[in-house]
C-alpha cells in the first residue's frame, strides 16, 4: 500500500499512471504481435522486426522509468507481473496472428486489416500520452 504523507497523492497518481500504461502497452503489444503474425511478405517481416526491436526497447525504458519511480511503493510481485505481462504480450499476439493466417482474404483486404491494426496501436499510446499530459495540466491549475 501507499504510505500517507505529503507526497502520497503524487505517488498514488504515479502508480495509477503505471497501471494504465501497463494496460495500454499490453493491448498495444498484443495488436502489434497479431499484425506481425498475419504478415506474409519476407521483406516486410525483416523491416518490421527491426522496427519492433527498437520500439520494444523504448517501451521497456518507459516502463522501467515508471517502475523505478514507484519502486518503494509497490510490492516486488506486482513489479514482476508487470515485467512478465510486458514480455509475453507480443508473443501472445504473434501466436494468435499465426493461428488466424488470413489466407482466405484477398491481398488488398489483408493490407487494409494490417493498416487498421497499425493505426489502432498508434492511437492507443498517443491517447495515453495526451491524457497524461492534459491531466497533469488540469491538476496544476488553481
Amino acid at each position: 500500500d501507499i504510505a500517507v504523507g505529503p507526497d502520497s497523492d503524487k505517488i498514488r497518481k504515479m502508480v495509477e499512471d503505471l497501471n494504465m500504461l501497463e494496460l495500454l502497452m499490453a493491448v498495444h503489444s498484443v495488436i502489434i504481435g497479431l499484425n506481425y503474425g498475419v504478415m506474409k511478405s519476407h521483406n516486410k517481416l525483416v523491416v518490421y522486426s527491426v522496427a519492433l526491436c527498437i520500439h520494444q526497447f523504448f517501451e521497456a525504458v518507459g516502463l522501467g522509468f515508471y517502475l523505478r519511480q514507484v519502486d518503494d511503493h509497490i510490492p516486488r510481485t506486482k513489479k514482476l507481473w508487470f515485467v512478465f505481462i510486458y514480455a509475453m504480450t507480443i508473443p501472445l499476439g504473434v501466436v494468435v496472428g499465426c493461428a488466424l493466417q488470413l489466407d482466405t482474404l484477398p491481398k488488398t483486404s489483408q493490407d487494409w486489416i494490417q493498416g487498421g491494426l497499425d493505426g489502432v496501436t498508434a492511437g492507443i499510446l498517443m491517447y495515453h500520452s495526451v491524457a497524461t499530459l492534459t491531466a497533469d495540466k488540469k491538476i496544476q491549475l488553481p
Side-chain angles (χ1 to χ4, degrees), residues 96-115:
V96 171
C98 288
L100 290 178
Q101 282 297 319
L102 305 172
D103 286 333
T104 58
L105 294 175
K107 175 86 171 99
T108 54
S109 295
Q110 289 176 10
D111 290 342
W112 275 100
I113 291 170
Q114 287 178 340

Side-chain angles (χ1 to χ4, degrees), residues 32-142:
I32 284 179
L34 180 66
N35 196 5
Y36 192 81
V38 299
M39 222 176 260
K40 294 190 175 153
S41 168
H42 178 69
N43 293 336
K44 281 185 182 179
L45 280 173
V46 171
V47 171
Y48 206 72
S49 296
V50 171
L52 191 61
C53 289
I54 294 168
H55 181 82
Q56 286 299 103
F57 170 77
F58 286 110
E59 275 188 3
V61 167
L63 183 61
F65 172 78
Y66 268 106
L67 282 172
R68 183 64 190 121
Q69 295 296 314
V70 295
D71 192 33
D72 299 332
H73 305 286
I74 59 174
R76 181 179 170 93
T77 53
K78 188 171 184 177
K79 288 185 269 188
L80 291 173
W81 271 112
F82 280 147
V83 172
F84 176 77
I85 290 169
Y86 177 78
M88 295 310 297
T89 51
I90 283 196
L92 173 70
V94 171
V95 167
V96 171
C98 288
L100 290 178
Q101 282 297 319
L102 305 172
D103 286 333
T104 58
L105 294 175
K107 175 86 171 99
T108 54
S109 295
Q110 289 176 10
D111 290 342
W112 275 100
I113 291 170
Q114 287 178 340
L117 290 173
D118 285 340
V120 168
T121 58
I124 288 171
L125 293 184
M126 287 184 355
Y127 164 78
H128 179 262
S129 300
V130 169
T132 302
L133 288 173
T134 56
D136 288 344
K137 296 299 179 194
K138 287 179 185 174
I139 291 171
Q140 293 175 1
L141 294 175

